[in-house]
Amino acid sequence: MTTRFEPPDAFQSPRFAQLPTFMRLPYVRDLEGLDVAIVGVPFDGGTSYRSGARFGPREIRVHSALIRPYHPVLRASPFAALRIADCGDVDTNPMDILDTYGRIERAVGAILAAGAVPACIGGDHSISLAILRAVARAHGPVAFVHFDSHQDMWDEYFGNRYFHGTPFRRALEEGLYDPKATVQLGIRGPVYGPEDFAFGETHGVTVVRAEELHRRGTGAALEPVRRLAGRKVYVSFDIDAVDPAFAPGTGTPEVGGLTSAQALELLRGLAGLDIVAFDLVEVAPPYDHAGLTAMLAANVLFELLSVVSLRAPAR
Ligand code: MN
Ligand code: MN
């Protein structure tokens, strides 16, 4: 398969025109021959505070229209290197998280079975458990890079084991990722007690707290990430890893976070990793201002597409 999908030429079709798929790529339902399948997962039934992330995929697509197709820092042309299309959304069930998990797992499983990298746009962070179930079925337990202000390793909330505060405890219990090959970046903010960190510590998860990142810089923060070279890697980017000054439109904001520039530096530091799937979650447009959060999220996705394209095999 040699046909590539490019965003429309902005000199022929201005970037504010046409239907808002991701970067105005073609909307493609046939997964055959795709290298990367962009798929929205509009679900926020797992939120514990401010809801609204169900509108994330749509808003991120709108703001992605401005992005140009060449990455000058990474020297990447993701759409020339890879066959990338927007495959629409998973039809989630807004009334039922477990039914939604089944729908996500089937949709992501189909993308993986077609040999493509799923690029998932949430939705709240609860969706990552279902994505990881499909990823682990295809690739086995993966290494894991997790950007977030929260570890999302709590046990339950009001008796519920499935919500956006628990996906990486459940996923670890299910053996979906390798905790000793896991790095969480940007963790910060008050918790219920010191015991909140015990689960990750016990299983050997590496945490780079936001305070350490600010003190030592992004280069030092990336050291444990570089040790994941050679592994199949899942990347999950919770937009609340970034400071609410740059990303106010999210469900559970925490102050003292990454700048948008630090986030871009960290993402570029993933170049060379074998990323088999990724997600961007927790953009809640009702709390956004001037599209700041959705615009940043669209750029995070472009960074990840660029990083993935650097390892593109010749087709
Ligand atoms: Mn999260
Ligand atoms: Mn978070």
Side-chain angles (χ1 to χ4, degrees):
M1 193 74 69
T2 52
T3 319
R4 301 284 187 264
F5 297 126
E6 296 274 350
D9 182 349
F11 294 91
Q12 303 295 327
S13 171
R15 284 173 290 165
F16 45 82
Q18 305 307 326
L19 300 178
T21 57
F22 190 78
M23 288 183 70
R24 302 191 301 152
L25 287 164
Y27 169 53
V28 172
R29 293 303 284 191
D30 180 8
L31 302 170
E32 169 97 36
L34 287 184
D35 298 306
V36 180
I38 298 166
V39 62
V41 188
F43 179 77
D44 60 13
T47 51
S48 55
Y49 198 64
R50 308 196 298 201
S51 56
R54 67 181 61 181
F55 298 109
R58 187 169 286 178
E59 199 66 15
I60 290 165
R61 285 184 172 108
V62 166
H63 286 274
S64 71
L66 181 63
I67 301 173
R68 300 177 192 87
Y70 177 66
H71 194 309
V73 180
L74 293 175
R75 299 185 185 183
S77 295
F79 307 105
L82 298 174
R83 198 156 186 259
I84 305 172
D86 190 328
C87 299
D89 289 343
V90 178
D91 284 315
T92 56
N93 177 345
M95 298 297 149
D96 190 331
I97 190 167
L98 296 181
D99 181 50
T100 293
Y101 277 176
R103 291 160 179 259
I104 297 168
E105 192 176 342
R106 284 191 293 278
V108 174
I111 292 167
L112 290 160
V117 170
C120 306
I121 313 177
D124 73 50
H125 223 155
S126 66
I127 68 168
S128 298
L129 175 60
I131 299 166
L132 271 167
R133 284 174 177 166
V135 169
R137 193 147 37 78
H139 293 293
V142 283
F144 181 28
V145 180
H146 174 199
F147 297 88
D148 206 322
S149 65
H150 316 96
Q151 287 191 292
D152 296 344
M153 287 178 167
W154 279 291
D155 189 29
E156 53 101 66
Y157 193 53
F158 284 80
N160 287 288
R161 289 162 51 79
Y162 301 100
F163 83 112
H164 73 161
T166 55
F168 304 122
R169 192 183 190 108
R170 295 290 94 82
L172 199 156
E173 290 167 349
E174 295 179 23
L176 308 181
Y177 68 91
D178 176 357
K180 294 189 170 56
T182 292
V183 185
Q184 297 182 306
L185 300 123
I187 305 299
R188 65 186 185 276
V191 294
Y192 298 108
E195 66 279 4
D196 281 13
F197 300 110
F199 184 80
E201 279 168 10
T202 303
H203 291 89
V205 170
T206 300
V207 172
V208 181
R209 289 188 55 87
E211 294 82 2
E212 181 186 350
L213 219 150
H214 291 308
R215 198 167 52 246
R216 299 182 64 211
T218 49
L222 283 164
E223 279 165 24
V225 173
R226 293 202 184 91
R227 292 199 282 273
L228 306 181
R231 301 287 301 264
K232 291 185 189 302
V233 179
Y234 186 74
V235 178
S236 186
F237 197 103
D238 182 330
I239 202 72
D240 74 26
V242 180
D243 193 88
F246 301 88
T250 194
T252 47
E254 302 285 352
V255 300
L258 308 181
T259 65
S260 52
Q262 285 175 317
L264 299 181
E265 282 286 322
L266 292 170
L267 288 162
R268 291 164 192 173
L270 305 183
L273 295 185
D274 183 10
I275 297 170
V276 295
F278 60 87
D279 69 52
L280 175 292
V281 296
E282 295 287 354
V283 173
Y287 293 94
D288 208 359
H289 300 278
L292 292 177
T293 315
M295 181 173 59
L296 175 61
N299 278 276
V300 167
L301 288 161
F302 178 69
E303 294 290 333
L304 287 165
L305 292 172
S306 298
V307 164
V308 168
S309 76
L310 295 176
R311 286 186 51 91
R315 288 183 82 106

